[in-house]
């Protein structure tokens, strides 16, 4: 049933050079041309009288040349042509013109049809600069009966080229199988979707009476038809990926006395939410198929302890567990926590990051390979070539949105030993709005810790211009005098890490001058590991009052006595990051405050971000607002990796389609499995296909 898609070079006029330019727009096949939708449309379906023109509008006029002259203004020669249609005068201005153009624009009474943007000219009156002009003869053609599409383009690609290609592809829509309909008629009827050919034709050549605003905002049913199919293709791709992993064998892990003893020895009782997710995880781990589970929970909800309990199930079954963190600092902290919890139970924990070298590294690797080490903690260095596990049964990723689908895949591959695949638990420190979780993590099951440990007080948050720095410094003085501890965070304002660390160093010196009675420490990425660790340990032990740091403390750092946080340049940070940072305080018994220092003037979005943070403490709600303010690429941290880029759909605008897309994915996988591959192929480019690994 499936035929190879027609390459773009099969279209008339597409040679290697043009093909290369089209490739830059992500267009590889003839079908891609049809899925490259116009950004906006121009209405050449009507004529506007010159007297009705307003500056700023795009309009089409029909008029005759009244006079024409070449002038030179500010060193630039240009051709001015005055048109009259009996209701007024319009000037056309050309900076470039051919001799032929000059000839016919210079002939009074030549009849023209011009389309362009109207602006007020310097000398008064209205003009169009470089309008599209067409000379009319005695028998003028009718005005267009369709809106003119304007496509996203790139250097060296003209609108008329793209328009021509789209027209050509549309002509072949019926004869060739450019865009076969893969959605079964029942589904189309049920979801009230039009056939794809119809939708595509409308979007490229809408009749003049089509509501332009609906088309351009993406709310037109034809656009939603395509957005739906794209979301469906992504669902299918992730689901297929999941199924291929789930078909593999995994070691079933049973829990017993060890897990029990661990929980009993903790200095606190697990929250009901922690117990619930732990039970969900345990049920998965007992299966002979790999667990693929996402553990969500707000900052401070206690995910680490859940991870440790899960790791114990691997240990109890005589296998190993690995916990991977996104940063060295967090890896160190997990290492400390796990040692405190697990070593008393007789379990050996190893630490592996890029920094571990020489003999210590060799030893750690040996003990991992022999199985002497039961739990490994580290950064992505854990999954490098040289690292061999005796039997890795559970891989835990403290993801913090920094690993995308591809990395998750790499991880699955890494842990595969003798045809067995490790179980996987992915923890996100920043909650992901449900809609995003449903699309970006459709290959995972989800567990959510929706409850904080008892006794947490909400953090009072204020925003202040940095002119009020002195007051803030006094506040630190008072808090520390009362035996509390504080963070001063200097986030990234310079592109380079070096400069960022320098800013933290300078700030620490300045604060030391202003607050001589306080014990001040410094933590940033450029410090030698030992110094950084020493500062963190001293701060944790209460031997420092104030810790000046870069955003390295963003994730995981846990010092309950710290109850004041100052964040400089808060206007430069995203909501999720601010929420993460703020999550470092409010962990103890005293009420905590967070001061967001900003440098005025605030942009509108920065203002909105700071307001959300002042009002809101729930990570899920913050994530939802973040999605509105920044869009899904940023929220998922995938903008950099280019992953999950959608062509037509917009996760925010089209979120109401996601449920239907999931439903349709179920139906297709069950009733029409042969349509799955072509649908994925149509929408997900060759380079980004997840399902083939
Ligand atoms: P996160 O979910 O942000 O990773 P952590 O695992 O770092 O949170 O936990 C935050 C703090 O809460 C830690 O000090 C941890 O020991 C503590 N904690 C975890 N669970 C509980 C609980 N049930 N009761 C009290 N404190 C808890
Ligand atoms: Mg954590």
């Amino acid at each position: 049933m499936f035929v190879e898609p027609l390459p773009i070079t099969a279209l008339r006029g597409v040679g290697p050079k043009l093909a290369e330019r089209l490739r830059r727009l992500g267009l590889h096949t003839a079908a891609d041309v049809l899925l490259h939708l116009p950004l906006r449309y121009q209405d050449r379906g009507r004529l506007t009288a010159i007297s009705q023109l307003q500056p700023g509008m795009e309009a089409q006029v029909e008029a005759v040349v009244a006079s024409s002259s070449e002038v030179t203004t500010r060193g630039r020669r240009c051709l001015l042509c005055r048109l009259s249609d009996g209701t007024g005068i319009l000037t056309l201005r050309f900076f470039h013109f051919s001799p032929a153009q000059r000839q016919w624009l210079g002939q009074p009474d030549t009849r023209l049809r011009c389309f362009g943007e109207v602006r007020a000219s310097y000398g008064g009156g209205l003009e169009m600069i470089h309008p599209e002009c067409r000379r009319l003869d005695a028998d003028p053609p009718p005005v267009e009966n369709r809106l003119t599409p304007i496509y996203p383009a790139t250097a060296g690609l003209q609108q008329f080229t793209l328009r021509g290609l789209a027209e050509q592809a549309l002509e072949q829509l019926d004869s060739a199988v450019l865009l076969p309909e893969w959605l079964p008629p029942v589904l189309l009827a049920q979801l009230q979707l039009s056939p794809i050919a119809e939708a595509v034709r409308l979007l490229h050549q809408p009749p003049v009476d089509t509501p332009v605003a609906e088309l351009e905002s993406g709310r037109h049913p034809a656009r939603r038809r395509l957005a739906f199919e794209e979301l469906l293709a992504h669902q299918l791709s992730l689901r297929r990926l999941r199924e291929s992993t789930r078909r593999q064998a995994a070691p079933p892990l049973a829990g017993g006395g060890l897990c029990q003893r661990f929980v009993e020895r903790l200095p606190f009782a697990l929250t009901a939410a922690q117990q619930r997710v732990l039970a969900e995880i345990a049920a998965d781990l007992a299966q002979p198929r790999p667990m693929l589970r996402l553990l969500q929970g707000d900052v401070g909800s206690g995910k680490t302890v859940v991870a440790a309990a899960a790791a114990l199930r691997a240990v109890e079954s005589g296998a190993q567990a690995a916990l991977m963190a996104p940063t060295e600092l967090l890896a160190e902290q997990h290492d400390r926590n796990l040692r405190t919890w697990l070593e008393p139970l007789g379990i050996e924990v190893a630490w592996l990051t890029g920094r571990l070298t020489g003999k210590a590294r060799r030893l750690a690797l040996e003990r991992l390979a022999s199985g002497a080490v039961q739990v490994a903690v580290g950064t992505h260095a854990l999954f490098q070539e040289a690292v061999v596990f005796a039997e890795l049964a559970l891989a835990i990723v403290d993801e913090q949105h920094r690993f995308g689908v591809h990395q998750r895949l790499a991880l699955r591959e890494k842990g595969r030993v003798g045809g067995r695949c490790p179980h996987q638990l992915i923890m996100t420190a920043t909650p992901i709005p449900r809609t995003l979780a449903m699309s970006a993590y459709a290959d995972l099951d989800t567990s959510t810790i929706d409850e904080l440990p008892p006794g947490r007080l909400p953090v009072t948050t204020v925003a202040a211009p940095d002119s009020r720095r002195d007051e803030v410094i006094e506040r630190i003085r008072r808090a520390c005098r009362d035996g509390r501890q504080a963070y001063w965070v200097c986030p990234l304002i310079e592109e380079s890490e070096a400069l960022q660390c320098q800013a933290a160093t300078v700030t620490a010196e300045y604060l030391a001058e202003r607050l001589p009675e306080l014990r001040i420490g410094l933590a940033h990425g450029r410090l030698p590991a030992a110094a950084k660790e020493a500062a963190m340990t001293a701060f944790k032990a209460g031997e420092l009052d104030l810790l000046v740091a870069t955003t390295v403390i963003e994730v995981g750092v846990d010092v309950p006595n710290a109850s004041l946080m100052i964040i400089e340049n808060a206007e430069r940070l995203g909501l999720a990051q601010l929420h993460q940072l703020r999550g470092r305080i409010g962990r103890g018994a005293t009420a905590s405050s967070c001061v967001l220092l900003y440098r005025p003037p605030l942009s509108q979005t920065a203002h909105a971000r700071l307001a959300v943070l002042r009002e809101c403490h729930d990570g899920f709600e913050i994530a939802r607002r973040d999605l509105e303010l920044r869009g899904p690429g940023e929220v998922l941290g995938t903008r950099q990796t280019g992953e999950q880029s959608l062509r037509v759909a917009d996760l925010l605008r089209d979120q109401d389609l996601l449920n239907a897309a999931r439903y349709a994915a179920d139906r297709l996988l069950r009733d029409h499995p042969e349509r799955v591959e072509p649908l994925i192929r149509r929408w997900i480019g060759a380079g980004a296909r997840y399902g083939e690994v």
Side-chain angles (χ1 to χ4, degrees):
M1 179 165 189
F2 182 57
V3 272
E4 273 304 310
L6 205 58
I8 207 160
T9 44
L11 293 175
R12 243 178 301 116
V14 184
K17 216 161 132 193
L18 181 53
E20 173 51 35
R21 288 185 183 149
L22 292 164
R23 213 178 345 267
R24 267 185 265 148
L25 283 176
L27 310 183
H28 304 266
T29 65
D32 284 342
V33 169
L34 292 174
L35 301 179
H36 187 63
L37 297 184
L39 272 181
R40 57 188 196 89
Y41 299 85
Q42 290 173 340
D43 185 354
R44 291 156 209 239
R46 69 191 140 180
L47 297 171
T48 307
I50 291 179
S51 62
Q52 300 300 309
L53 296 179
Q54 302 279 341
M57 75 195 261
E58 259 180 353
Q60 182 169 247
V61 299
E62 209 173 287
V64 294
V65 174
S67 71
S68 163
S69 57
E70 262 180 64
V71 297
T72 305
T73 41
R74 290 190 227 135
R76 269 188 102 177
R77 195 169 61 104
C78 68
L79 177 66
L80 296 181
C81 173
R82 276 174 234 293
L83 294 189
S84 161
D85 70 349
T87 72
I89 298 281
L90 174 71
T91 304
L92 309 184
R93 187 183 291 269
F94 299 87
F95 294 105
H96 320 279
F97 44 91
S98 63
Q101 267 176 322
R102 182 169 61 195
Q103 210 253 325
W104 54 262
L105 288 169
Q107 274 172 17
D109 295 330
T110 305
R111 192 160 194 83
L112 299 176
R113 191 178 287 169
C114 305
F115 183 90
E117 190 182 330
V118 180
R119 36 170 275 171
S121 68
Y122 287 116
L126 296 174
E127 65 178 23
M128 282 182 183
I129 296 178
H130 280 266
E132 289 168 38
C133 283
R134 175 163 181 191
R135 185 161 45 146
L136 303 178
D137 43 34
D139 188 17
V143 291
E144 307 258 336
N145 57 2
R146 294 172 185 151
L147 299 175
T148 310
I150 309 289
Y151 294 96
T154 178
L157 254 187
Q158 307 281 344
Q159 284 299 329
F160 68 80
T161 309
L162 288 166
R163 237 170 259 160
L165 290 175
E167 265 164 39
Q168 215 191 120
L170 284 174
E171 277 162 26
Q172 299 186 29
L173 200 50
D174 301 319
S175 52
V177 271
L178 267 192
L179 279 183
E181 181 63 67
W182 296 123
L183 300 188
V186 197
L187 210 57
L188 289 177
Q190 238 172 18
L191 301 171
Q192 296 188 308
L193 300 170
S194 52
I196 190 161
E198 206 175 284
V200 159
R201 199 179 295 284
L202 183 128
L203 291 169
H204 289 280
Q205 303 183 335
V208 279
D209 54 359
T210 316
V212 177
E214 265 188 35
L215 287 174
E216 292 181 351
S217 67
R219 290 181 210 286
H220 192 280
R223 252 197 109 104
R224 283 168 58 81
R225 163 66 178 81
L226 295 189
F228 170 83
E229 194 177 296
E230 182 173 32
L231 293 173
L232 169 62
H234 278 262
Q235 285 288 327
L236 288 170
S237 159
L238 286 167
R239 291 276 287 279
R240 205 173 50 173
L241 179 64
R242 172 189 166 82
E243 262 141 47
S244 75
T245 307
R246 296 277 288 173
R247 268 199 299 276
Q248 307 194 6
L253 306 178
L258 192 59
C259 214
Q260 190 70 30
R261 259 188 295 153
F262 165 69
V263 172
E264 278 162 11
R265 289 174 59 114
L266 285 172
F268 46 77
L270 294 182
T271 61
Q274 283 171 318
Q275 288 175 25
R276 176 174 42 78
V277 302
L278 206 48
E280 288 165 2
I281 292 168
D284 277 5
L285 292 177
Q287 303 296 317
R289 290 186 305 277
M291 168 173 80
L292 294 171
R293 191 166 281 278
L294 176 73
L295 175 57
Q296 298 201 79
D298 207 347
V299 197
S301 61
K303 293 182 289 292
T304 322
V305 82
V306 171
L312 282 178
R313 291 188 178 261
V315 174
E316 250 188 320
S317 308
Q320 295 166 303
L323 170 55
M324 173 161 82
T327 65
E328 298 240 332
L329 196 73
L330 186 54
E332 280 163 31
Q333 166 142 333
H334 280 327
D335 180 55
R336 259 198 307 273
N337 278 335
L338 291 190
R339 274 178 209 282
T340 317
W341 287 330
L342 302 186
E343 281 178 354
L345 298 168
I347 294 164
E348 187 170 334
V349 179
W351 183 71
L352 201 71
T353 73
R355 264 199 354 241
L356 195 68
T357 51
K359 194 159 165 233
R361 179 180 163 83
R362 257 199 324 278
L363 191 68
L365 289 179
E366 267 172 37
R367 296 188 68 75
L368 266 178
S370 73
V373 159
Q374 290 131 310
V375 178
V377 183
T379 54
H380 53 272
L382 271 179
F383 295 95
Q384 278 162 3
E385 290 300 314
V387 183
V388 178
F389 291 88
E391 178 161 20
L392 180 65
L394 171 62
I396 306 170
V397 184
D398 200 352
E399 175 174 20
Q400 171 64 8
H401 295 172
R402 285 176 199 176
F403 307 107
V405 175
H406 294 293
Q407 282 112 321
R408 292 211 296 275
L409 276 176
L411 220 159
R412 275 175 217 176
E413 291 304 303
K414 179 70 201 181
R416 189 170 299 179
V417 188
R420 293 222 284 187
C421 190
H423 297 282
Q424 280 185 55
L425 180 65
I426 291 155
M427 307 199 286
T428 73
T430 314
I432 306 163
R434 206 181 117 66
T435 47
L436 282 193
M438 262 164 45
S439 52
Y441 294 89
D443 57 331
L444 305 176
D445 297 307
T446 308
S447 288
T448 306
I449 309 185
D450 50 7
E451 176 186 7
L452 293 179
R456 296 276 167 82
L457 297 165
V459 176
T460 311
T461 305
V462 295
D466 55 6
S467 54
R468 287 172 56 191
R469 187 176 294 254
D470 285 347
E471 279 170 57
V472 172
I473 290 174
E474 282 317 304
R475 218 170 145 169
I476 296 176
R477 196 193 306 279
R478 282 197 306 275
C480 294
R481 198 164 49 210
D482 296 342
R484 290 153 62 188
Q485 290 170 284
Y487 293 101
W488 186 293
V489 186
C490 309
L492 184 79
I493 29 172
E494 305 288 347
E495 281 300 316
S496 99
E497 195 203 355
L499 286 171
Q500 187 196 159
C501 297
Q502 194 197 337
T505 310
V506 170
T507 306
E509 282 164 8
Y510 172 75
L511 290 171
E513 230 167 77
R514 297 288 309 273
L515 297 163
E517 73 275 29
L518 297 191
R519 298 162 299 172
I520 299 178
L522 179 63
H524 63 65
R526 285 278 169 123
L527 282 178
K532 198 167 63 188
E533 176 125 9
M536 293 304 306
T537 313
F539 190 65
K540 197 157 185 168
E543 291 155 13
L544 292 175
D545 304 298
L546 175 62
L547 185 68
V548 179
T550 54
T551 47
V552 293
I553 63 153
E554 175 185 341
V555 278
V557 178
D558 184 32
V559 181
N561 190 46
S563 61
L564 177 60
M565 175 176 281
I566 319 299
I567 305 176
E568 278 200 273
N569 297 105
E571 79 279 9
R572 309 275 185 110
L573 295 179
L575 266 179
Q577 206 177 10
L578 287 167
H579 180 63
Q580 278 299 313
L581 280 167
R582 179 174 65 173
R584 303 302 114 220
I585 55 173
R587 293 175 167 236
T590 28
S592 297
S593 342
C594 179
V595 181
L596 306 172
L597 279 183
Y598 63 86
R599 178 161 306 171
L602 275 186
S603 73
Q604 216 170 352
T605 23
H607 193 271
R609 270 204 298 271
L610 298 187
V612 168
L613 222 67
R614 278 203 314 267
E615 292 160 13
C616 199
H617 294 93
D618 172 7
F620 283 90
E621 176 61 17
I622 290 178
R624 202 185 57 70
R625 306 255 200 118
D626 202 20
L627 182 61
E628 276 170 18
L629 288 169
R630 289 196 304 163
E634 296 282 349
V635 173
L636 287 172
T638 50
R639 172 150 304 169
Q640 303 85 327
T641 62
E643 208 175 86
Q644 180 83 19
S645 53
L646 296 168
R647 299 205 238 172
V648 176
D650 175 315
L651 281 181
L652 194 55
R653 182 188 64 214
D654 300 320
Q655 48 183 297
D656 60 312
L657 295 175
L658 274 164
N659 265 329
R662 293 219 303 180
Y663 167 77
D666 286 338
R667 296 294 301 262
L668 278 169
L669 285 165
R670 197 189 65 199
D671 302 337
H672 304 278
E674 76 288 354
R675 300 185 179 201
V676 170
E677 171 65 17
L679 258 172
I680 293 175
R681 283 257 209 153
R682 173 181 292 168
W683 286 100
I684 301 175
R689 225 168 294 144
Y690 311 141
E692 286 184 346
V693 185

